[in-house]
Amino acid sequence: MRIKNLSILGATGSIGASTLQLVRLQPEHYHVFALSGHQQVEALAKLCLEFSPNYAVVSDPVSAKRLSTLLQERHCATEVLAGSQALIDIATDPLVDCVMAAIVGAAGLAPTYAALKAGKCVLLANKEALVMAGDLMMQAVKDAKATLLPVDSEHNAIFQCLPVNFLAPRLFPALNLAHHAADFGVTKIILTASGGAFRDLALDQFATISPEAACQHPNWQMGKKITVDSATMMNKALEVIEAHYLFGLAAAEIEVLIHPQSIVHSLVVYTDGSLLAQLGEPDMRIPIANAMAWPKRMASGVNTLDLVQAGALSFKTIDPERYPAFSLGYDALRLGGTAPCILNAANESAVAAFLSNRISFNAIAKVAREALNTLPIQAARDFDTIIGTDNQTRAYVEQYLNTL
Ligand code: NAD
Ligand code: MG
């Protein structure tokens, strides 16, 4: 196998770190071509010294200067670039084979979309990009014959449980496999959800939840934003939308169940009564390794699940009183057009406000619902419409927060 050039967008985050752990296991198969790390200069410098990428990207000139100085002092030849165009450049460089899209939030959309338009193999962790611009992203995969591989653990599980001919036309059209959707007998998919940090907390305690408490996840080690999203279950709302775009399924074909053990990562239900599931330890190195090595497999360094140790596995339906944000994903799909983009932007703004102690935990779902119900929804025509909607929603939420 030829060595693959990999660009990691968001290398200093939780998904970025897991991706680099896998690169360490297979240095003969992957060359780290480029890394990005927003303003996390020290962490990025450390990674540059270890992996010697061709490029390192930060978000602003001040961070670039600091990073360049650190690298020069240690005789590291990595070239430092800054700004949003630099992220696009490292995602689309002709030398790049694979792009790990692991920036959190809307900031990841432009480079991820550009990578797809350039026909790259994109390993998608950044679900917000697909939620914002699902139709445009899927069209780009088709037009550029790109490859889109889901890293989100639930979607990667579904990906592993669906027949390759079902997936190919949408996710790797270059393979040109026959597609007879009706023949596959897929009745629905079931995404599993851990239930987040407050799955057992008394409902009357929700108003006083602190950012610190919301940033603790019982099963997964993740960045702050997605950990809060797991606690509100907005994460699952976004994942329903993500699944709709990735697998071409209608809202009615996507179900969600709470599975507190996070062992069964999701399931596909077939018409003959078969349920296919993917199981494993709750460790993102498994889905990342699956996407990195696809269509082959690689060792991930994660222990194989011990079924006896894992014990009983339980499943239950979602209590809408506990998780008012959850149904907003279905609402946004039903509304269509730019509604998912509005939901995503409102949630990002609300989570940031919660993390800086401006609003309560309960207000997050309220803000997202208010934006979805109030703002005009348009056809998701082009990239400018998406960016315009994102900006308009953030401005609206900023005003609305002052009224709370
Ligand atoms: P994180 O907060 O740990 O890391 C985010 C990365 O994005 C960092 O490298 C940070 O420097 C960079 N970044 C942040 N803001 C930026 C900006 N404005 N411009 C450019 N770069 C910026 O987040 P994470 O947990 O690694 O999650 C990354 C993405 O993967 C998210 O979309 C998340 O939903 C998704 N995801 C994560 C997990 C997980 O287990 N962590 C699981 C499934 C999906
Ligand atoms: Mg997930």
Side-chain angles (χ1 to χ4, degrees), residues 104-188:
V104 59
L109 173 61
T112 306
Y113 184 47
L116 291 176
K117 284 201 294 182
K120 300 299 182 195
C121 173
V122 173
L123 317 180
L124 185 75
N126 178 208
K127 68 191 87 185
E128 295 92 343
L130 198 64
V131 170
M132 292 174 77
D135 284 326
L136 297 180
M137 299 251 293
M138 298 314 295
Q139 192 60 45
V141 176
K142 202 169 178 182
D143 293 346
K145 293 203 182 321
T147 301
L148 181 58
L149 302 175
V151 165
D152 209 350
S153 59
E154 298 79 0
H155 305 73
N156 184 268
I158 300 289
F159 179 81
Q160 294 192 48
C161 297
L162 282 170
V164 74
N165 291 50
F166 180 102
L167 298 164
R170 292 184 72 80
L171 301 186
F172 27 94
L175 274 196
N176 215 5
L177 290 176
H179 183 53
H180 305 290
D183 297 344
F184 294 110
V186 173
T187 312
K188 65 178 174 184

Coordinates of all heavy atoms in Angstrom, one line a residue, residues 104-188:
V104 N -14.4 21.4 15.5 CA -15.7 21.4 16.1 C -16.5 22.6 15.5 O -16.0 23.7 15.3 CB -15.6 21.4 17.6 CG1 -14.9 22.7 18.1 CG2 -17.0 21.4 18.2
G105 N -17.8 22.3 15.1 CA -18.7 23.3 14.7 C -18.6 23.8 13.3 O -17.9 23.3 12.5
A106 N -19.3 25.0 13.1 CA -19.4 25.6 11.8 C -18.1 25.9 11.2 O -17.9 26.0 10.0 CB -20.3 26.8 11.9
A107 N -17.0 26.2 12.0 CA -15.7 26.6 11.5 C -15.1 25.5 10.6 O -14.3 25.8 9.8 CB -14.8 26.8 12.7
G108 N -15.6 24.3 10.7 CA -15.1 23.2 9.9 C -15.8 23.0 8.6 O -15.3 22.3 7.7
L109 N -16.8 23.8 8.3 CA -17.6 23.5 7.1 C -16.8 23.9 5.8 O -16.7 23.0 4.9 CB -18.9 24.4 7.1 CG -19.7 24.4 5.8 CD1 -20.1 22.9 5.4 CD2 -20.9 25.3 5.8
A110 N -16.2 25.1 5.8 CA -15.6 25.5 4.5 C -14.5 24.5 4.0 O -14.5 24.1 2.9 CB -15.1 26.9 4.6
P111 N -13.5 24.1 4.9 CA -12.5 23.2 4.4 C -13.0 21.8 4.1 O -12.5 21.1 3.2 CB -11.5 23.2 5.6 CG -12.2 23.7 6.8 CD -13.2 24.7 6.3
T112 N -14.0 21.4 4.9 CA -14.6 20.0 4.7 C -15.3 20.0 3.3 O -15.1 19.0 2.5 CB -15.5 19.6 5.8 OG1 -14.8 19.8 7.1 CG2 -16.0 18.2 5.7
Y113 N -16.1 21.0 3.1 CA -16.8 21.1 1.8 C -15.8 21.2 0.6 O -15.9 20.5 -0.4 CB -17.7 22.3 1.9 CG -18.6 22.5 0.7 CD1 -19.3 21.5 0.1 CD2 -18.7 23.8 0.1 CE1 -20.2 21.7 -1.0 CE2 -19.5 24.0 -1.0 CZ -20.3 23.0 -1.5 OH -21.1 23.2 -2.6
A114 N -14.7 22.0 0.8 CA -13.7 22.2 -0.2 C -13.0 20.8 -0.5 O -12.8 20.5 -1.7 CB -12.7 23.2 0.2
A115 N -12.8 20.1 0.5 CA -12.1 18.8 0.3 C -13.0 17.8 -0.5 O -12.5 17.1 -1.4 CB -11.8 18.1 1.7
L116 N -14.3 17.8 -0.2 CA -15.2 17.0 -1.0 C -15.2 17.5 -2.4 O -15.2 16.7 -3.4 CB -16.6 17.0 -0.4 CG -16.7 16.3 1.0 CD1 -18.2 16.5 1.5 CD2 -16.4 14.8 0.9
K117 N -15.3 18.8 -2.6 CA -15.3 19.3 -4.0 C -14.1 19.0 -4.8 O -14.1 18.9 -6.0 CB -15.6 20.8 -4.0 CG -17.1 21.1 -3.7 CD -17.5 22.5 -4.2 CE -16.7 23.6 -3.4 NZ -17.1 24.9 -3.8
A118 N -13.0 18.8 -4.0 CA -11.7 18.5 -4.7 C -11.6 17.0 -4.8 O -10.5 16.4 -5.3 CB -10.5 19.0 -3.9
G119 N -12.6 16.2 -4.5 CA -12.6 14.8 -4.7 C -11.8 14.0 -3.7 O -11.4 12.8 -4.0
K120 N -11.5 14.5 -2.6 CA -10.7 13.8 -1.5 C -11.5 12.7 -0.8 O -12.7 12.7 -0.9 CB -10.2 14.8 -0.5 CG -9.4 16.0 -1.0 CD -8.1 15.5 -1.7 CE -7.2 16.6 -2.2 NZ -6.2 16.2 -3.1
C121 N -10.8 11.9 -0.1 CA -11.4 11.0 0.8 C -11.5 11.7 2.2 O -10.5 12.1 2.7 CB -10.5 9.7 1.0 SG -11.1 8.6 2.3
V122 N -12.7 12.0 2.6 CA -13.0 12.8 3.8 C -13.5 11.8 4.9 O -14.5 11.1 4.8 CB -14.0 13.9 3.6 CG1 -14.4 14.6 4.9 CG2 -13.4 14.9 2.6
L123 N -12.8 11.8 6.0 CA -13.2 11.1 7.2 C -13.9 12.1 8.1 O -13.3 13.1 8.6 CB -12.0 10.5 8.0 CG -10.8 9.9 7.1 CD1 -9.7 9.4 8.0 CD2 -11.4 8.8 6.2
L124 N -15.2 11.9 8.2 CA -16.1 13.0 8.8 C -16.4 12.8 10.3 O -17.2 11.9 10.6 CB -17.4 13.1 8.0 CG -18.3 14.3 8.5 CD1 -17.7 15.6 8.0 CD2 -19.7 14.1 8.0
A125 N -15.7 13.6 11.1 CA -16.1 13.7 12.5 C -17.0 14.9 12.7 O -18.0 14.9 13.5 CB -14.9 13.7 13.4
N126 N -16.7 16.0 12.0 CA -17.4 17.3 12.1 C -18.8 17.2 11.6 O -19.1 17.7 10.5 CB -16.5 18.3 11.3 CG -17.1 19.7 11.3 OD1 -16.8 20.4 10.4 ND2 -17.8 20.1 12.3
K127 N -19.7 16.6 12.5 CA -21.1 16.4 12.0 C -21.8 17.7 11.7 O -22.7 17.8 10.9 CB -21.9 15.6 13.1 CG -22.1 16.3 14.4 CD -22.6 15.4 15.5 CE -21.5 14.7 16.2 NZ -21.9 13.7 17.2
E128 N -21.4 18.8 12.4 CA -22.1 20.1 12.2 C -22.0 20.6 10.8 O -22.9 21.2 10.3 CB -21.4 21.2 13.1 CG -21.6 20.9 14.7 CD -20.5 20.2 15.3 OE1 -19.7 19.5 14.5 OE2 -20.4 20.2 16.5
A129 N -20.9 20.2 10.1 CA -20.7 20.6 8.7 C -21.8 20.0 7.8 O -22.5 20.6 7.0 CB -19.4 20.3 8.2
L130 N -22.1 18.7 8.1 CA -23.1 18.0 7.3 C -24.5 18.4 7.7 O -25.4 18.5 6.8 CB -23.0 16.5 7.5 CG -23.6 15.6 6.5 CD1 -23.0 15.8 5.1 CD2 -23.5 14.1 6.9
V131 N -24.7 18.8 9.0 CA -26.0 19.3 9.4 C -26.3 20.6 8.7 O -27.4 20.9 8.3 CB -26.1 19.4 10.9 CG1 -27.3 20.2 11.4 CG2 -26.0 18.0 11.6
M132 N -25.3 21.5 8.6 CA -25.5 22.8 8.1 C -25.8 22.7 6.6 O -26.6 23.5 6.0 CB -24.2 23.6 8.2 CG -23.9 24.0 9.6 SD -22.3 24.8 9.6 CE -22.7 26.5 9.0
A133 N -25.0 21.9 5.9 CA -25.0 21.9 4.4 C -25.1 20.5 3.8 O -24.4 20.2 2.9 CB -23.8 22.6 4.0
G134 N -26.0 19.7 4.3 CA -26.1 18.3 3.9 C -26.3 18.1 2.4 O -25.5 17.3 1.8
D135 N -27.2 18.8 1.8 CA -27.5 18.6 0.4 C -26.3 19.0 -0.4 O -25.9 18.3 -1.4 CB -28.7 19.5 0.0 CG -30.0 18.8 0.4 OD1 -30.1 17.6 0.5 OD2 -30.9 19.6 0.8
L136 N -25.6 20.2 -0.1 CA -24.5 20.6 -0.8 C -23.3 19.6 -0.7 O -22.6 19.3 -1.7 CB -24.0 22.0 -0.4 CG -25.0 23.2 -0.5 CD1 -24.3 24.4 0.0 CD2 -25.4 23.4 -2.0
M137 N -23.1 19.1 0.5 CA -22.0 18.2 0.7 C -22.2 16.9 0.0 O -21.3 16.4 -0.7 CB -21.9 17.9 2.2 CG -21.6 19.1 3.1 SD -19.9 19.2 3.8 CE -20.0 17.8 4.9
M138 N -23.4 16.4 0.0 CA -23.7 15.1 -0.7 C -23.6 15.3 -2.2 O -23.1 14.4 -2.9 CB -25.1 14.5 -0.3 CG -25.2 14.2 1.2 SD -23.8 13.3 2.0 CE -23.9 11.7 1.1
Q139 N -24.0 16.5 -2.7 CA -23.9 16.8 -4.1 C -22.4 16.8 -4.5 O -22.1 16.3 -5.6 CB -24.6 18.1 -4.4 CG -24.8 18.3 -5.9 CD -25.7 17.3 -6.6 OE1 -26.7 16.9 -6.1 NE2 -25.2 16.8 -7.8
A140 N -21.6 17.4 -3.6 CA -20.2 17.5 -3.9 C -19.5 16.1 -4.0 O -18.7 15.9 -4.9 CB -19.5 18.4 -2.9
V141 N -20.0 15.2 -3.1 CA -19.4 13.9 -3.2 C -19.7 13.3 -4.6 O -18.8 12.7 -5.2 CB -20.1 13.0 -2.1 CG1 -19.6 11.5 -2.2 CG2 -19.7 13.5 -0.7
K142 N -20.9 13.5 -5.0 CA -21.4 12.9 -6.3 C -20.6 13.5 -7.5 O -20.0 12.8 -8.3 CB -22.9 13.2 -6.4 CG -23.6 12.2 -7.4 CD -25.1 12.5 -7.2 CE -25.8 11.6 -8.2 NZ -27.3 11.8 -8.1
D143 N -20.6 14.8 -7.5 CA -20.0 15.5 -8.6 C -18.5 15.3 -8.7 O -18.0 15.1 -9.8 CB -20.3 17.1 -8.5 CG -21.7 17.4 -8.6 OD1 -22.5 16.5 -9.1 OD2 -22.1 18.5 -8.3
A144 N -17.8 15.3 -7.6 CA -16.4 15.2 -7.6 C -15.9 13.7 -7.4 O -14.7 13.5 -7.4 CB -15.8 16.1 -6.5
K145 N -16.9 12.8 -7.3 CA -16.5 11.4 -7.1 C -15.6 11.3 -5.9 O -14.5 10.7 -5.9 CB -15.9 10.7 -8.3 CG -17.0 10.6 -9.4 CD -16.5 9.4 -10.3 CE -17.5 9.2 -11.5 NZ -18.9 9.3 -11.3
A146 N -15.9 12.1 -4.8 CA -15.2 12.0 -3.6 C -15.6 10.8 -2.8 O -16.4 10.0 -3.2 CB -15.5 13.3 -2.8
T147 N -14.9 10.6 -1.6 CA -15.3 9.5 -0.7 C -15.6 10.1 0.6 O -14.8 10.9 1.1 CB -14.1 8.5 -0.6 OG1 -13.8 8.0 -1.9 CG2 -14.5 7.3 0.3
L148 N -16.7 9.7 1.2 CA -17.1 10.3 2.5 C -17.3 9.2 3.5 O -18.2 8.3 3.3 CB -18.4 11.1 2.3 CG -19.0 11.8 3.6 CD1 -18.0 12.8 4.2 CD2 -20.3 12.6 3.2
L149 N -16.5 9.1 4.5 CA -16.5 8.0 5.5 C -16.9 8.5 6.9 O -16.2 9.4 7.4 CB -15.2 7.3 5.5 CG -14.7 6.7 4.1 CD1 -13.3 6.1 4.2 CD2 -15.7 5.7 3.6
P150 N -18.0 8.0 7.4 CA -18.4 8.5 8.7 C -17.5 8.0 9.9 O -17.2 6.8 10.0 CB -19.8 7.9 8.9 CG -20.0 6.9 7.8 CD -18.9 6.9 6.9
V151 N -17.2 9.0 10.7 CA -16.3 8.7 11.9 C -17.2 8.7 13.2 O -16.9 8.0 14.1 CB -15.2 9.7 12.0 CG1 -14.5 9.7 13.4 CG2 -14.2 9.5 10.9
D152 N -18.2 9.5 13.2 CA -19.1 9.5 14.3 C -19.5 8.0 14.7 O -19.8 7.3 13.8 CB -20.4 10.3 14.0 CG -21.0 11.0 15.2 OD1 -20.6 10.7 16.3 OD2 -21.9 11.8 15.0
S153 N -19.4 7.7 15.9 CA -19.4 6.2 16.3 C -20.7 5.5 15.8 O -20.7 4.4 15.3 CB -19.2 6.0 17.8 OG -20.2 6.7 18.5
E154 N -21.9 6.2 16.0 CA -23.1 5.6 15.6 C -23.2 5.4 14.0 O -23.6 4.4 13.5 CB -24.3 6.5 16.0 CG -24.4 6.7 17.5 CD -23.5 7.8 18.0 OE1 -22.7 8.3 17.2 OE2 -23.5 8.0 19.2
H155 N -22.7 6.4 13.3 CA -22.8 6.4 11.8 C -21.8 5.4 11.3 O -22.0 4.8 10.3 CB -22.7 7.8 11.3 CG -23.7 8.7 11.9 ND1 -23.6 9.2 13.2 CD2 -24.9 9.2 11.5 CE1 -24.6 9.9 13.5 NE2 -25.4 10.0 12.5
N156 N -20.7 5.4 12.0 CA -19.7 4.4 11.5 C -20.2 3.0 11.8 O -20.0 2.0 11.0 CB -18.4 4.6 12.2 CG -17.3 3.6 11.7 OD1 -17.1 2.6 12.3 ND2 -16.7 4.0 10.6
A157 N -21.0 2.8 12.9 CA -21.6 1.5 13.1 C -22.6 1.1 12.0 O -22.6 0.0 11.5 CB -22.3 1.5 14.5
I158 N -23.4 2.1 11.7 CA -24.4 1.8 10.6 C -23.7 1.5 9.3 O -24.1 0.6 8.6 CB -25.3 3.1 10.4 CG1 -26.1 3.4 11.7 CG2 -26.3 2.9 9.2 CD1 -27.2 2.5 12.1
F159 N -22.7 2.3 9.0 CA -21.8 2.1 7.8 C -21.3 0.7 7.8 O -21.3 0.0 6.7 CB -20.7 3.1 7.9 CG -19.7 3.0 6.8 CD1 -20.0 3.7 5.6 CD2 -18.5 2.4 7.0 CE1 -19.0 3.6 4.5 CE2 -17.5 2.4 5.9 CZ -17.8 3.0 4.7
Q160 N -20.9 0.1 8.9 CA -20.4 -1.2 9.0 C -21.5 -2.3 8.8 O -21.2 -3.4 8.4 CB -19.6 -1.5 10.3 CG -18.4 -0.7 10.4 CD -17.5 -1.1 11.6 OE1 -17.2 -2.3 11.7 NE2 -17.1 -0.2 12.4
C161 N -22.7 -1.9 9.1 CA -23.8 -2.9 9.1 C -24.7 -2.8 7.8 O -25.6 -3.6 7.7 CB -24.8 -2.7 10.3 SG -23.9 -3.0 11.9
L162 N -24.4 -1.9 6.9 CA -25.1 -1.8 5.7 C -24.3 -2.5 4.6 O -23.1 -2.4 4.6 CB -25.4 -0.3 5.3 CG -26.5 0.4 6.0 CD1 -26.5 1.9 5.7 CD2 -27.9 -0.2 5.7
P163 N -25.0 -3.1 3.6 CA -24.2 -3.7 2.5 C -23.5 -2.6 1.6 O -24.1 -1.5 1.5 CB -25.3 -4.3 1.6 CG -26.6 -4.1 2.2 CD -26.4 -3.2 3.4
V164 N -22.4 -2.9 1.1 CA -21.6 -1.9 0.4 C -22.3 -1.4 -0.8 O -22.2 -0.2 -1.1 CB -20.1 -2.5 0.1 CG1 -20.2 -3.5 -1.0 CG2 -19.2 -1.4 -0.2
N165 N -23.1 -2.2 -1.4 CA -23.8 -1.7 -2.6 C -24.9 -0.6 -2.3 O -25.2 0.2 -3.1 CB -24.5 -2.8 -3.4 CG -23.6 -3.7 -4.0 OD1 -22.6 -4.2 -3.4 ND2 -23.8 -4.0 -5.3
F166 N -25.4 -0.7 -1.1 CA -26.3 0.3 -0.6 C -25.6 1.7 -0.4 O -26.1 2.7 -0.7 CB -26.9 -0.1 0.8 CG -27.9 0.8 1.4 CD1 -29.3 0.6 1.3 CD2 -27.5 2.0 2.1 CE1 -30.2 1.5 1.8 CE2 -28.4 2.8 2.6 CZ -29.8 2.6 2.5
L167 N -24.4 1.6 0.1 CA -23.6 2.8 0.5 C -23.0 3.5 -0.7 O -22.9 4.7 -0.8 CB -22.5 2.4 1.5 CG -23.0 1.9 2.8 CD1 -21.8 1.2 3.6 CD2 -23.6 3.0 3.7
A168 N -22.5 2.7 -1.7 CA -21.6 3.2 -2.7 C -22.1 4.4 -3.5 O -21.4 5.4 -3.6 CB -21.3 2.1 -3.6
P169 N -23.4 4.4 -4.0 CA -23.8 5.5 -4.8 C -23.7 6.9 -4.1 O -23.4 7.9 -4.7 CB -25.2 5.2 -5.2 CG -25.4 3.8 -5.0 CD -24.4 3.4 -3.9
R170 N -24.0 6.9 -2.8 CA -23.9 8.1 -2.0 C -22.5 8.5 -1.5 O -22.1 9.6 -1.6 CB -24.9 8.1 -0.8 CG -26.3 8.0 -1.2 CD -27.2 8.0 0.0 NE -27.3 9.3 0.7 CZ -28.0 10.4 0.3 NH1 -28.7 10.3 -0.8 NH2 -28.0 11.5 0.9
L171 N -21.8 7.4 -1.0 CA -20.6 7.8 -0.3 C -19.3 7.5 -1.0 O -18.3 8.2 -0.7 CB -20.6 7.0 1.1 CG -21.8 7.3 2.0 CD1 -21.6 6.6 3.3 CD2 -22.0 8.7 2.2
F172 N -19.3 6.6 -2.0 CA -18.1 6.5 -2.8 C -18.5 6.2 -4.2 O -18.3 5.1 -4.7 CB -17.1 5.5 -2.2 CG -17.7 4.4 -1.4 CD1 -18.0 3.2 -1.9 CD2 -17.9 4.6 0.0 CE1 -18.6 2.2 -1.2 CE2 -18.5 3.6 0.8 CZ -18.8 2.4 0.2
P173 N -19.1 7.2 -4.9 CA -19.6 7.0 -6.2 C -18.6 6.5 -7.3 O -19.0 5.9 -8.3 CB -20.2 8.3 -6.6 CG -19.6 9.3 -5.7 CD -19.3 8.6 -4.4
A174 N -17.3 6.7 -7.0 CA -16.3 6.3 -8.0 C -16.3 4.8 -8.1 O -15.9 4.3 -9.2 CB -14.9 6.8 -7.5
L175 N -16.8 4.1 -7.2 CA -16.8 2.6 -7.3 C -17.8 2.1 -8.3 O -17.8 1.0 -8.8 CB -17.1 1.9 -5.9 CG -16.0 1.7 -5.0 CD1 -16.4 0.7 -3.9 CD2 -14.7 1.1 -5.7
N176 N -18.9 3.0 -8.5 CA -19.8 2.7 -9.6 C -20.5 1.3 -9.4 O -20.7 0.6 -10.3 CB -19.1 2.7 -10.9 CG -20.1 3.3 -12.0 OD1 -21.2 3.7 -11.7 ND2 -19.6 3.2 -13.2
L177 N -20.9 1.0 -8.1 CA -21.6 -0.2 -7.9 C -23.1 -0.1 -8.2 O -23.7 1.0 -8.1 CB -21.4 -0.7 -6.4 CG -20.0 -1.1 -6.0 CD1 -20.0 -1.4 -4.5 CD2 -19.6 -2.3 -6.8
A178 N -23.7 -1.2 -8.5 CA -25.2 -1.1 -8.8 C -25.9 -0.7 -7.6 O -25.5 -1.1 -6.5 CB -25.7 -2.5 -9.3
H179 N -27.0 0.0 -7.7 CA -27.8 0.5 -6.5 C -29.3 0.1 -6.7 O -29.9 0.8 -7.6 CB -27.6 2.0 -6.3 CG -28.3 2.5 -5.1 ND1 -28.1 1.9 -3.9 CD2 -29.2 3.5 -4.9 CE1 -28.8 2.6 -3.0 NE2 -29.5 3.5 -3.6
H180 N -29.8 -0.8 -6.0 CA -31.2 -1.1 -6.1 C -31.7 -1.0 -4.6 O -31.9 -2.0 -3.9 CB -31.5 -2.5 -6.6 CG -30.8 -2.7 -7.9 ND1 -31.3 -2.1 -9.1 CD2 -29.8 -3.5 -8.3 CE1 -30.5 -2.5 -10.1 NE2 -29.6 -3.3 -9.7
A181 N -31.9 0.2 -4.2 CA -32.2 0.5 -2.8 C -33.3 -0.5 -2.2 O -33.2 -1.0 -1.1 CB -32.6 1.9 -2.6
A182 N -34.4 -0.6 -3.0 CA -35.5 -1.4 -2.5 C -35.1 -2.9 -2.2 O -35.7 -3.5 -1.3 CB -36.6 -1.4 -3.5
D183 N -34.1 -3.4 -2.9 CA -33.7 -4.8 -2.8 C -32.9 -5.1 -1.5 O -32.7 -6.2 -1.1 CB -32.8 -5.2 -3.9 CG -33.6 -5.2 -5.2 OD1 -34.8 -5.1 -5.2 OD2 -32.9 -5.2 -6.3
F184 N -32.5 -4.0 -0.8 CA -31.6 -4.2 0.3 C -32.4 -4.6 1.6 O -31.9 -5.1 2.6 CB -30.7 -3.1 0.6 CG -29.7 -2.9 -0.5 CD1 -29.8 -1.8 -1.4 CD2 -28.7 -3.8 -0.7 CE1 -28.9 -1.7 -2.4 CE2 -27.8 -3.7 -1.8 CZ -27.9 -2.6 -2.6
G185 N -33.7 -4.3 1.6 CA -34.6 -4.7 2.7 C -34.3 -3.9 4.0 O -34.5 -4.4 5.1
V186 N -33.7 -2.7 3.9 CA -33.4 -1.9 5.1 C -34.7 -1.3 5.6 O -35.3 -0.5 4.8 CB -32.4 -0.8 4.8 CG1 -32.2 0.1 6.0 CG2 -31.0 -1.5 4.5
T187 N -35.2 -1.7 6.7 CA -36.5 -1.1 7.2 C -36.3 0.2 8.0 O -37.0 1.2 7.8 CB -37.2 -2.1 8.2 OG1 -37.2 -3.4 7.7 CG2 -38.6 -1.7 8.6
K188 N -35.2 0.2 8.8 CA -34.9 1.4 9.5 C -33.5 1.3 10.2 O -33.0 0.1 10.2 CB -35.9 1.8 10.6 CG -36.0 0.7 11.7 CD -37.0 1.1 12.8 CE -37.2 0.0 13.8 NZ -38.2 0.3 14.8

